[in-house]
Amino acid sequence: EHPPAMLYRLTLAELDAYCRAEHGAPFADLGADEQDAILAGLEEEEIEFDGVSAKTFFDLILENAIEGFFADPIYGGNRDMVG
């Protein structure tokens, strides 16, 4: 198990390598449909990384996205109280 910052570093590198190998481009450069399919693959454990759990990473980014969306703006989330 890795602390969150390390998990982000390791898994984002694995994700980038996976996307380059499978799609010829980093995740950020892929179309929305390809990105959605990759995220679903992470969530459903269809995509695996060496030494890092793709599912654990997916769960972390989902939790962090929810926290950021609903967080009080004084902490840098929920810009303009849209949540």
Side-chain angles (χ1 to χ4, degrees):
E1 190 164 312
H2 304 289
M6 182 61 73
L7 184 61
Y8 266 98
R9 281 187 212 99
L10 294 172
T11 312
L12 288 174
E14 290 280 339
L15 177 63
D16 192 45
Y18 171 84
C19 291
R20 288 177 188 278
E22 295 294 319
H23 302 280
F27 183 83
D29 291 345
L30 300 177
D33 289 341
E34 289 175 307
Q35 289 177 343
D36 286 346
I38 290 168
L39 292 174
L42 295 175
E43 180 181 26
E44 296 166 10
E45 300 181 88
E46 295 170 354
I47 296 173
E48 296 180 6
F49 298 137
D50 292 331
V52 181
S53 169
K55 172 67 171 152
T56 299
F57 177 68
F58 177 85
D59 291 346
L60 177 65
I61 60 172
L62 178 60
E63 180 181 325
N64 289 167
I66 292 168
E67 289 168 349
F69 187 75
F70 290 109
D72 190 309
I74 64 171
Y75 299 110
N78 194 11
R79 182 169 292 172
D80 299 323
M81 300 289 286
V82 297

